[in-house]
Amino acid sequence: MNILLKVKSILFFILGMISLGLGIAGTVLPVLPGGPFYLFAAFCFAKSSKRIEHWFKNTWIYEKYVEPLVLKTGMPLKEKIRINIIADFFIVLSIILVDILFVRILLLGMAFYKHYYFIKKIKTIPLQSHLKKKAN
């Protein structure tokens, strides 16, 4: 049984590192959203080991991208708009390129839900308070 726990821990660590890498790529590249990958990395690291979870929670990545979502403190309007514009670009591109009506309808529904979620479920915080928290 101990070997199974060790294998599980290693698998979650590997998934967490892959997700962290994709999240960092998403932070650098405007075409890939980093937030969901950081959230998944946090989940995987928590399942991997307490030491790795503690390490990740003390990184600037966790503090900037994961903690506001976990604590439900919100997101600056500028960041909400940036994320939505990038996602909308790829959704519209997919709608244009895909010639399957069901997929187009599904993509359109996802776009509307995304906007609903960002407007109604994620609190908008003033940029000044976000910058103050970042400076501390």
Side-chain angles (χ1 to χ4, degrees):
M1 187 67 172
N2 193 16
I3 190 94
L4 289 176
L5 291 175
K6 195 78 147 167
V7 169
K8 178 182 163 191
S9 176
I10 291 169
L11 287 175
F12 274 115
F13 175 74
I14 291 170
L15 281 173
M17 292 304 287
I18 291 169
S19 186
L20 179 61
L22 289 170
I24 291 170
T27 300
V28 176
L29 303 171
V31 298
L32 186 68
F37 291 109
Y38 290 137
L39 286 171
F40 186 64
F43 170 79
C44 290
F45 290 146
K47 292 287 186 179
S48 177
S49 77
K50 292 292 177 195
R51 186 173 56 102
I52 293 170
E53 178 186 21
H54 179 67
W55 164 78
F56 186 61
K57 284 185 173 182
N58 287 309
T59 64
W60 66 271
I61 292 170
Y62 183 87
E63 187 177 300
K64 182 176 180 181
Y65 296 103
V66 180
E67 197 171 70
L69 295 173
V70 171
L71 299 176
K72 298 184 190 292
T73 58
M75 185 182 293
L77 182 62
K78 182 180 175 183
E79 186 71 10
K80 288 170 102 174
I81 291 170
R82 183 188 74 81
I83 290 169
N84 275 292
I85 287 173
I86 293 167
D88 285 343
F89 171 78
F90 284 100
I91 290 171
V92 169
L93 184 66
S94 298
I95 288 172
I96 291 169
L97 296 176
V98 173
D99 198 24
I100 302 168
L101 181 62
F102 175 74
V103 174
R104 286 179 172 174
I105 293 169
L106 188 66
L107 287 167
L108 198 58
M110 287 172 41
F112 282 123
Y113 181 75
K114 175 183 62 68
H115 284 284
Y116 161 78
Y117 192 83
F118 269 79
I119 292 168
K120 294 289 186 181
K121 300 290 184 183
I122 299 175
K123 180 180 167 189
T124 303
I125 58 173
L127 187 58
Q128 291 79 14
S129 67
H130 179 70
L131 293 176
K132 283 180 192 173
K133 185 179 177 189
K134 218 167 105 173
N136 291 336

